Amino acid sequence: MELKGRSISKGLIKAEAIVSDVPISFLGGVNEDGIIIDKENELYGQSIADKIFVFPTGKGSTVGSYVIYGLAKKGILKGIINKESEPIVATGAILGKIPMVDKIDMGNIKTGDMVLIDGDNGIVKIFKK
């Protein structure tokens, strides 16, 4: 399945998806190793390492941009898909050169699906398990 969205950060990446149904703050919500530490999130305790992180939108502090940047520099976070991007997550993805697309119907993506992000063209391809 191919979905057309809006390109936020350029690049091409194919990896397994991990999906959160609720917005997340990277400051206090994800630690420096890519573990979800927000106890209110359904992914609490799970890792976003080596995955494409799919979530509706970001929330919280502008420091979240630097958390995303740090995850990128360590090679932890591979890509981001949002329903609606906001400046904090977009800035972190751009600084970290993490491929990112938004305006995507998240209902089509499940945790464990293989996903290709084409950040140059705003395209997301889903390969079901």
Side-chain angles (χ1 to χ4, degrees), residues 32-117:
E32 62 201 23
D33 297 317
I35 306 296
I36 305 290
I37 57 173
D38 176 355
K39 291 182 179 175
E40 303 297 315
N41 191 288
E42 77 272 25
L43 298 177
Y44 175 72
Q46 295 186 49
S47 176
I48 62 171
D50 298 322
K51 296 193 171 81
I52 292 174
F53 193 19
V54 182
F55 55 101
T57 192
K59 64 179 184 176
S61 170
T62 55
V63 177
S65 297
Y66 294 101
V67 174
I68 295 168
Y69 175 74
L71 291 169
K73 287 300 157 200
K74 290 180 177 179
I76 292 172
L77 183 55
K78 300 302 181 186
I80 297 173
I81 298 171
N82 283 158
K83 181 178 180 181
E84 185 69 39
S85 176
E86 45 72 47
I88 294 166
V89 174
T91 299
I94 292 165
L95 286 172
K97 297 182 172 56
I98 298 172
M100 180 177 175
V101 172
D102 81 339
K103 307 287 186 192
I104 295 295
D105 178 0
M106 291 177 40
N108 291 305
I109 307 170
K110 304 293 179 220
T111 294
D113 288 344
M114 288 301 294
V115 177
L116 173 85
I117 296 176

Coordinates of all heavy atoms in Angstrom, one line a residue, residues 32-117:
E32 N 17.3 8.5 26.3 CA 18.4 8.7 25.4 C 18.8 7.4 24.7 O 19.5 7.4 23.7 CB 19.7 9.2 26.1 CG 20.2 8.2 27.2 CD 21.0 8.9 28.2 OE1 20.9 10.1 28.4 OE2 21.8 8.2 28.9
D33 N 18.3 6.3 25.1 CA 18.5 5.0 24.4 C 17.3 4.6 23.5 O 17.3 3.5 23.0 CB 18.7 3.9 25.5 CG 20.0 4.2 26.3 OD1 21.0 4.6 25.6 OD2 20.0 4.0 27.5
G34 N 16.3 5.4 23.5 CA 15.1 5.2 22.6 C 14.0 4.3 23.3 O 13.2 3.8 22.6
I35 N 14.0 4.3 24.6 CA 13.0 3.5 25.4 C 11.9 4.5 25.7 O 12.1 5.6 26.2 CB 13.6 2.9 26.7 CG1 14.8 2.0 26.4 CG2 12.5 2.1 27.4 CD1 14.5 0.8 25.5
I36 N 10.6 4.1 25.5 CA 9.5 4.9 25.9 C 9.4 4.9 27.4 O 9.2 3.8 28.0 CB 8.2 4.4 25.3 CG1 8.3 4.3 23.7 CG2 7.0 5.3 25.7 CD1 8.4 5.6 23.0
I37 N 9.5 6.0 28.0 CA 9.5 6.1 29.5 C 8.2 6.9 30.0 O 8.1 7.0 31.2 CB 10.8 6.7 30.1 CG1 11.0 8.1 29.5 CG2 12.0 5.8 29.8 CD1 12.2 8.9 30.2
D38 N 7.4 7.3 29.1 CA 6.1 7.9 29.5 C 5.2 6.8 29.9 O 4.7 6.0 29.1 CB 5.5 8.7 28.3 CG 4.2 9.3 28.5 OD1 3.6 9.1 29.6 OD2 3.7 10.0 27.6
K39 N 4.9 6.8 31.2 CA 4.0 5.7 31.8 C 2.6 5.7 31.3 O 1.9 4.8 31.4 CB 4.1 5.7 33.3 CG 5.4 5.4 33.9 CD 5.5 5.4 35.4 CE 6.9 5.0 35.8 NZ 7.0 5.0 37.3
E40 N 2.2 6.9 30.7 CA 0.8 7.0 30.2 C 0.7 6.5 28.8 O -0.4 6.3 28.2 CB 0.4 8.5 30.3 CG 0.4 9.1 31.6 CD -0.5 8.4 32.6 OE1 -1.7 8.1 32.2 OE2 -0.1 8.1 33.8
N41 N 1.8 6.2 28.1 CA 1.8 5.8 26.7 C 1.7 4.2 26.7 O 2.3 3.5 27.5 CB 3.1 6.2 26.1 CG 3.1 6.0 24.6 OD1 3.1 4.9 24.1 ND2 3.0 7.1 23.8
E42 N 0.9 3.7 25.7 CA 0.7 2.3 25.6 C 2.0 1.6 25.2 O 2.1 0.3 25.3 CB -0.4 2.0 24.5 CG 0.0 2.2 23.1 CD -0.2 3.6 22.5 OE1 -0.1 4.6 23.2 OE2 -0.3 3.7 21.3
L43 N 3.0 2.3 24.8 CA 4.3 1.6 24.4 C 5.3 1.7 25.6 O 6.5 1.4 25.4 CB 4.9 2.3 23.2 CG 4.1 2.3 21.9 CD1 4.8 3.1 20.8 CD2 3.9 0.8 21.5
Y44 N 4.9 2.1 26.8 CA 5.8 2.2 27.9 C 6.7 1.0 28.0 O 6.3 -0.2 28.0 CB 5.0 2.4 29.2 CG 5.9 2.4 30.4 CD1 6.7 3.5 30.7 CD2 5.9 1.3 31.3 CE1 7.5 3.5 31.8 CE2 6.7 1.3 32.4 CZ 7.5 2.4 32.7 OH 8.3 2.5 33.8
G45 N 8.0 1.3 28.1 CA 9.0 0.2 28.3 C 9.5 -0.4 26.9 O 10.5 -1.1 26.9
Q46 N 8.9 0.0 25.8 CA 9.3 -0.6 24.5 C 10.4 0.4 23.9 O 10.4 1.5 24.2 CB 8.1 -0.7 23.6 CG 7.2 -1.8 24.1 CD 6.1 -2.1 23.1 OE1 6.3 -2.3 21.9 NE2 4.8 -2.1 23.6
S47 N 11.1 -0.2 23.0 CA 12.2 0.6 22.3 C 11.8 1.0 20.9 O 11.1 0.2 20.2 CB 13.4 -0.3 22.2 OG 14.4 0.4 21.5
I48 N 12.1 2.2 20.5 CA 12.0 2.7 19.2 C 13.2 2.6 18.4 O 13.3 3.0 17.2 CB 11.5 4.2 19.1 CG1 12.5 5.1 19.8 CG2 10.1 4.3 19.8 CD1 12.1 6.6 19.6
A49 N 14.3 2.0 19.0 CA 15.6 1.8 18.3 C 15.4 1.0 17.0 O 14.7 0.0 17.0 CB 16.5 1.1 19.2
D50 N 16.0 1.5 16.0 CA 16.1 0.9 14.6 C 14.7 0.7 14.0 O 14.5 -0.1 13.2 CB 16.7 -0.5 14.7 CG 18.2 -0.4 15.1 OD1 18.9 0.5 14.7 OD2 18.6 -1.3 15.9
K51 N 13.8 1.6 14.4 CA 12.4 1.5 13.9 C 12.0 2.9 13.4 O 12.6 3.9 13.6 CB 11.4 1.1 15.1 CG 11.7 -0.3 15.6 CD 10.6 -0.8 16.4 CE 10.8 -2.3 16.7 NZ 11.8 -2.6 17.8
I52 N 10.9 2.8 12.6 CA 10.2 4.0 12.2 C 9.1 4.3 13.2 O 8.2 3.4 13.4 CB 9.6 3.9 10.8 CG1 10.8 3.8 9.8 CG2 8.6 5.0 10.4 CD1 10.4 3.5 8.4
F53 N 9.1 5.4 13.9 CA 8.2 5.7 14.9 C 7.0 6.5 14.3 O 7.1 7.5 13.7 CB 8.9 6.6 16.0 CG 8.2 6.7 17.3 CD1 7.2 5.9 17.7 CD2 8.5 7.8 18.1 CE1 6.5 6.0 18.9 CE2 7.8 7.9 19.4 CZ 6.8 7.1 19.7
V54 N 5.8 5.9 14.5 CA 4.6 6.4 14.0 C 3.7 6.9 15.1 O 3.4 6.1 16.0 CB 3.8 5.3 13.2 CG1 2.5 5.9 12.6 CG2 4.7 4.7 12.1
F55 N 3.3 8.2 15.2 CA 2.5 8.7 16.2 C 1.8 9.9 15.7 O 2.2 10.5 14.7 CB 3.4 9.1 17.5 CG 4.5 10.0 17.2 CD1 4.5 11.3 17.5 CD2 5.7 9.5 16.7 CE1 5.5 12.2 17.3 CE2 6.8 10.3 16.4 CZ 6.7 11.7 16.8
P56 N 0.7 10.3 16.3 CA -0.2 11.3 15.8 C 0.5 12.7 15.6 O 0.5 13.3 14.6 CB -1.4 11.4 16.7 CG -1.3 10.4 17.7 CD 0.0 9.7 17.5
T57 N 1.1 13.1 16.7 CA 1.8 14.4 16.8 C 2.6 14.5 18.0 O 2.5 13.7 18.9 CB 0.7 15.6 16.8 OG1 1.4 16.8 16.5 CG2 0.0 15.7 18.0
G58 N 3.5 15.4 18.1 CA 4.4 15.6 19.3 C 3.7 16.5 20.2 O 2.7 17.2 19.9
K59 N 4.2 16.6 21.4 CA 3.7 17.6 22.4 C 4.9 17.9 23.4 O 5.9 17.2 23.4 CB 2.6 17.0 23.2 CG 2.9 15.8 24.1 CD 1.8 15.2 24.9 CE 2.3 14.1 25.8 NZ 1.2 13.6 26.7
G60 N 4.7 19.1 24.0 CA 5.7 19.4 25.0 C 6.8 20.4 24.6 O 6.7 21.1 23.7
S61 N 7.9 20.3 25.4 CA 9.0 21.2 25.3 C 9.8 21.3 24.0 O 10.0 20.2 23.4 CB 9.9 20.9 26.5 OG 11.1 21.7 26.4
T62 N 10.3 22.5 23.7 CA 11.2 22.6 22.6 C 12.5 21.8 22.7 O 13.1 21.5 21.7 CB 11.5 24.1 22.4 OG1 12.1 24.6 23.5 CG2 10.3 24.9 22.0
V63 N 12.8 21.4 23.9 CA 14.0 20.6 24.1 C 13.8 19.2 23.5 O 14.8 18.5 23.1 CB 14.3 20.4 25.7 CG1 15.5 19.5 25.9 CG2 14.6 21.8 26.3
G64 N 12.6 18.8 23.2 CA 12.3 17.6 22.5 C 13.0 17.5 21.2 O 13.4 16.4 20.7
S65 N 13.2 18.6 20.5 CA 13.9 18.7 19.2 C 15.3 18.1 19.4 O 15.9 17.4 18.6 CB 14.0 20.1 18.7 OG 12.8 20.6 18.4
Y66 N 16.0 18.5 20.5 CA 17.3 18.0 20.8 C 17.4 16.6 21.2 O 18.4 15.9 20.9 CB 18.0 19.0 21.8 CG 18.2 20.3 21.2 CD1 17.3 21.4 21.6 CD2 19.2 20.6 20.3 CE1 17.4 22.6 21.1 CE2 19.3 21.9 19.8 CZ 18.4 22.9 20.1 OH 18.5 24.1 19.6
V67 N 16.3 16.1 21.8 CA 16.3 14.7 22.1 C 16.2 13.9 20.8 O 16.9 12.9 20.7 CB 15.1 14.4 23.1 CG1 14.9 12.9 23.3 CG2 15.2 15.1 24.4
I68 N 15.4 14.3 19.9 CA 15.3 13.6 18.6 C 16.6 13.7 17.9 O 17.1 12.7 17.3 CB 14.1 14.3 17.7 CG1 12.8 14.0 18.4 CG2 14.2 13.7 16.3 CD1 11.7 14.8 17.8
Y69 N 17.2 14.9 17.9 CA 18.6 15.0 17.3 C 19.6 14.0 17.9 O 20.3 13.4 17.2 CB 19.0 16.5 17.4 CG 20.4 16.7 16.9 CD1 20.7 16.8 15.6 CD2 21.5 16.9 17.8 CE1 22.0 17.0 15.1 CE2 22.8 17.2 17.4 CZ 23.0 17.2 16.0 OH 24.3 17.5 15.6
G70 N 19.6 13.9 19.2 CA 20.5 13.0 19.9 C 20.2 11.6 19.5 O 21.1 10.8 19.3
L71 N 18.9 11.2 19.4 CA 18.6 9.8 19.0 C 19.1 9.6 17.5 O 19.5 8.5 17.2 CB 17.1 9.6 19.1 CG 16.5 9.6 20.5 CD1 15.0 9.6 20.4 CD2 17.0 8.3 21.2
A72 N 19.0 10.6 16.7 CA 19.5 10.5 15.3 C 21.0 10.3 15.3 O 21.5 9.4 14.6 CB 19.1 11.7 14.5
K73 N 21.7 11.1 16.0 CA 23.2 11.0 16.0 C 23.7 9.7 16.6 O 24.8 9.3 16.1 CB 23.8 12.2 16.9 CG 23.6 13.5 16.2 CD 24.4 13.5 14.9 CE 23.9 14.5 13.9 NZ 24.2 14.2 12.5
K74 N 22.9 9.1 17.4 CA 23.3 7.7 17.9 C 22.9 6.6 17.0 O 23.1 5.5 17.2 CB 22.7 7.5 19.3 CG 23.3 8.3 20.4 CD 22.6 8.0 21.7 CE 23.2 8.7 22.9 NZ 22.5 8.4 24.1
G75 N 22.1 7.0 15.9 CA 21.7 6.0 15.0 C 20.5 5.2 15.5 O 20.2 4.1 15.0
I76 N 19.8 5.7 16.5 CA 18.7 5.0 17.2 C 17.4 5.1 16.4 O 16.8 4.1 16.1 CB 18.5 5.4 18.6 CG1 19.8 5.0 19.4 CG2 17.2 4.9 19.2 CD1 19.8 5.5 20.9
L77 N 16.9 6.3 16.1 CA 15.7 6.5 15.5 C 15.9 6.6 14.0 O 16.6 7.4 13.5 CB 15.0 7.8 16.0 CG 13.6 8.2 15.5 CD1 12.6 7.0 15.7 CD2 13.1 9.4 16.2
K78 N 15.1 5.8 13.2 CA 15.4 5.7 11.8 C 14.4 6.6 10.9 O 14.8 7.0 9.9 CB 15.2 4.2 11.3 CG 16.2 3.3 12.0 CD 17.6 3.7 11.7 CE 18.6 2.8 12.3 NZ 20.0 3.2 12.2
G79 N 13.2 6.8 11.4 CA 12.2 7.6 10.6 C 11.0 7.9 11.5 O 10.8 7.3 12.5
I80 N 10.3 8.9 11.0 CA 9.1 9.4 11.7 C 7.9 9.6 10.8 O 8.1 10.2 9.7 CB 9.4 10.7 12.5 CG1 10.4 10.5 13.6 CG2 8.1 11.3 13.1 CD1 10.9 11.8 14.2
I81 N 6.8 9.1 11.2 CA 5.5 9.3 10.4 C 4.5 9.9 11.4 O 4.3 9.4 12.5 CB 4.9 8.0 9.8 CG1 5.9 7.4 8.8 CG2 3.6 8.3 9.2 CD1 5.5 6.1 8.3
N82 N 3.9 11.0 11.0 CA 2.9 11.7 11.9 C 1.6 11.9 11.1 O 1.6 12.0 9.9 CB 3.4 13.1 12.3 CG 4.4 13.2 13.4 OD1 5.1 14.1 13.6 ND2 4.5 12.1 14.2
K83 N 0.6 11.9 11.9 CA -0.7 12.4 11.3 C -0.6 13.9 11.0 O -1.0 14.3 10.0 CB -1.9 12.1 12.3 CG -3.2 12.5 11.8 CD -4.3 12.1 12.8 CE -5.6 12.5 12.3 NZ -6.7 12.2 13.2
E84 N -0.1 14.6 12.0 CA 0.1 16.1 11.9 C 1.4 16.5 12.6 O 1.5 16.4 13.8 CB -1.1 16.8 12.5 CG -1.1 18.3 12.3 CD -1.3 18.7 10.9 OE1 -2.1 18.1 10.2 OE2 -0.6 19.7 10.4
S85 N 2.3 16.9 11.8 CA 3.6 17.3 12.4 C 3.4 18.7 13.1 O 2.6 19.4 12.8 CB 4.6 17.5 11.3 OG 5.8 18.0 11.8
E86 N 4.3 18.9 14.1 CA 4.4 20.2 14.7 C 5.8 20.6 14.8 O 6.7 19.8 14.5 CB 3.7 20.2 16.1 CG 3.9 19.0 17.0 CD 5.3 19.0 17.6 OE1 5.8 20.1 18.1 OE2 5.9 18.0 17.6
P87 N 6.1 21.8 15.1 CA 7.5 22.3 14.9 C 8.6 21.6 15.7 O 9.7 21.5 15.3 CB 7.4 23.8 15.3 CG 6.0 24.2 15.1 CD 5.2 22.9 15.4
I88 N 8.3 21.1 16.9 CA 9.3 20.5 17.8 C 9.8 19.2 17.1 O 11.0 19.0 17.0 CB 8.7 20.2 19.2 CG1 8.4 21.5 19.9 CG2 9.7 19.3 20.0 CD1 7.6 21.4 21.1
V89 N 8.9 18.3 16.7 CA 9.3 17.1 16.1 C 9.9 17.3 14.7 O 10.9 16.8 14.4 CB 8.1 16.1 16.0 CG1 8.5 14.8 15.2 CG2 7.6 15.7 17.4
A90 N 9.3 18.2 13.9 CA 9.9 18.5 12.6 C 11.3 19.1 12.7 O 12.2 18.6 11.9 CB 9.0 19.6 11.9
T91 N 11.5 20.0 13.6 CA 12.9 20.5 13.8 C 13.9 19.4 14.2 O 15.0 19.4 13.6 CB 12.9 21.6 14.9 OG1 12.0 22.7 14.4 CG2 14.3 22.2 15.1
G92 N 13.5 18.6 15.1 CA 14.4 17.5 15.5 C 14.7 16.6 14.3 O 15.9 16.1 14.1
A93 N 13.7 16.2 13.5 CA 13.9 15.3 12.4 C 14.8 16.0 11.3 O 15.7 15.3 10.8 CB 12.6 15.0 11.8
I94 N 14.6 17.3 11.1 CA 15.4 18.0 10.1 C 16.9 18.1 10.5 O 17.8 17.8 9.8 CB 14.8 19.3 9.7 CG1 13.5 19.2 9.0 CG2 15.8 20.2 8.9 CD1 12.6 20.4 8.9
L95 N 17.1 18.5 11.8 CA 18.4 18.6 12.3 C 19.1 17.3 12.3 O 20.3 17.2 12.0 CB 18.4 19.1 13.8 CG 18.1 20.6 14.0 CD1 17.9 20.9 15.4 CD2 19.2 21.5 13.4
G96 N 18.4 16.2 12.7 CA 19.0 14.9 12.8 C 19.0 14.1 11.4 O 19.5 13.0 11.4
K97 N 18.5 14.7 10.4 CA 18.4 14.1 9.1 C 17.7 12.8 9.1 O 18.1 11.8 8.5 CB 19.8 13.9 8.5 CG 20.5 15.3 8.2 CD 21.9 15.1 7.6 CE 22.5 16.4 7.1 NZ 22.7 17.4 8.1
I98 N 16.6 12.8 9.8 CA 15.7 11.6 10.0 C 14.6 11.8 8.9 O 13.8 12.8 9.0 CB 15.1 11.5 11.4 CG1 16.2 11.3 12.4 CG2 14.1 10.4 11.4 CD1 15.6 11.4 13.8
P99 N 14.4 10.8 8.0 CA 13.3 11.0 7.0 C 12.0 11.1 7.8 O 11.7 10.3 8.7 CB 13.4 9.7 6.2 CG 14.8 9.2 6.3 CD 15.2 9.7 7.7
M100 N 11.1 12.0 7.4 CA 9.9 12.2 8.1 C 8.8 12.7 7.1 O 9.0 13.5 6.2 CB 10.0 13.3 9.2 CG 8.7 13.6 9.9 SD 9.0 14.8 11.2 CE 7.4 15.0 11.8
V101 N 7.6 12.1 7.2 CA 6.4 12.5 6.4 C 5.2 12.6 7.4 O 5.1 11.9 8.3 CB 6.2 11.4 5.4 CG1 4.8 11.6 4.6 CG2 7.3 11.3 4.4
D102 N 4.4 13.6 7.1 CA 3.1 13.7 7.8 C 2.0 13.8 6.9 O 2.1 13.5 5.7 CB 3.2 14.9 8.8 CG 2.8 16.2 8.2 OD1 3.0 16.4 7.0 OD2 2.5 17.1 9.0
K103 N 0.8 14.0 7.4 CA -0.5 14.0 6.7 C -0.8 12.5 6.2 O -1.3 12.3 5.1 CB -0.5 14.9 5.5 CG -0.1 16.4 5.8 CD -1.2 17.1 6.5 CE -0.9 18.5 6.7 NZ -1.7 19.2 7.6
I104 N -0.4 11.6 7.1 CA -0.6 10.1 6.8 C -1.7 9.6 7.7 O -1.7 9.8 8.9 CB 0.7 9.4 7.0 CG1 1.8 9.8 6.0 CG2 0.5 7.9 6.9 CD1 1.5 9.5 4.5
D105 N -2.6 8.8 7.1 CA -3.6 8.1 7.9 C -3.0 6.9 8.6 O -2.6 5.9 8.0 CB -4.7 7.5 6.9 CG -5.8 6.7 7.7 OD1 -5.7 6.6 8.9 OD2 -6.7 6.3 7.0
M106 N -2.8 7.1 9.9 CA -2.1 6.1 10.7 C -2.8 4.8 10.9 O -2.2 3.8 11.2 CB -1.8 6.7 12.1 CG -0.9 7.8 12.2 SD -0.7 8.5 13.9 CE -0.8 7.1 14.9
G107 N -4.1 4.8 10.6 CA -4.9 3.6 10.7 C -4.4 2.5 9.8 O -4.8 1.3 10.0
N108 N -3.7 2.8 8.8 CA -3.2 1.9 7.8 C -1.9 1.2 8.3 O -1.4 0.3 7.6 CB -2.9 2.5 6.5 CG -4.2 2.9 5.8 OD1 -5.1 2.1 5.6 ND2 -4.3 4.2 5.5
I109 N -1.2 1.7 9.4 CA 0.1 1.2 9.8 C -0.1 0.5 11.2 O -0.6 1.1 12.1 CB 1.1 2.3 9.8 CG1 1.1 3.1 8.5 CG2 2.5 1.7 10.2 CD1 2.0 4.3 8.6
K110 N 0.4 -0.7 11.3 CA 0.4 -1.4 12.6 C 1.9 -1.7 13.0 O 2.8 -1.8 12.2 CB -0.3 -2.7 12.4 CG -1.7 -2.6 11.9 CD -2.6 -1.9 12.8 CE -4.0 -1.8 12.3 NZ -4.7 -0.5 12.6
T111 N 2.0 -1.8 14.3 CA 3.4 -2.1 14.9 C 3.8 -3.5 14.2 O 3.0 -4.4 14.2 CB 3.3 -2.2 16.4 OG1 3.1 -0.9 16.9 CG2 4.6 -2.8 17.0
G112 N 5.0 -3.5 13.8 CA 5.5 -4.7 13.1 C 5.5 -4.7 11.6 O 6.2 -5.5 11.0
D113 N 4.7 -3.8 11.0 CA 4.7 -3.7 9.6 C 6.0 -3.1 9.1 O 6.6 -2.3 9.8 CB 3.6 -2.7 9.1 CG 2.2 -3.2 9.2 OD1 2.0 -4.4 9.4 OD2 1.3 -2.4 9.1
M114 N 6.5 -3.6 8.0 CA 7.7 -2.9 7.3 C 7.2 -1.7 6.6 O 6.1 -1.8 5.9 CB 8.4 -3.9 6.4 CG 9.1 -5.0 7.1 SD 10.4 -4.4 8.2 CE 11.6 -3.7 7.1
V115 N 7.9 -0.6 6.8 CA 7.5 0.7 6.2 C 8.6 1.3 5.5 O 9.8 1.3 6.0 CB 6.9 1.6 7.3 CG1 6.5 3.0 6.7 CG2 5.7 1.0 8.0
L116 N 8.4 1.9 4.3 CA 9.4 2.7 3.6 C 8.9 4.1 3.6 O 7.8 4.4 3.2 CB 9.5 2.2 2.2 CG 10.4 3.0 1.3 CD1 11.8 2.6 1.4 CD2 10.0 3.0 -0.2
I117 N 9.8 5.0 4.1 CA 9.6 6.4 4.0 C 10.4 7.0 2.9 O 11.6 6.8 2.9 CB 9.9 7.2 5.3 CG1 9.1 6.7 6.5 CG2 9.8 8.7 5.2 CD1 9.5 7.3 7.8

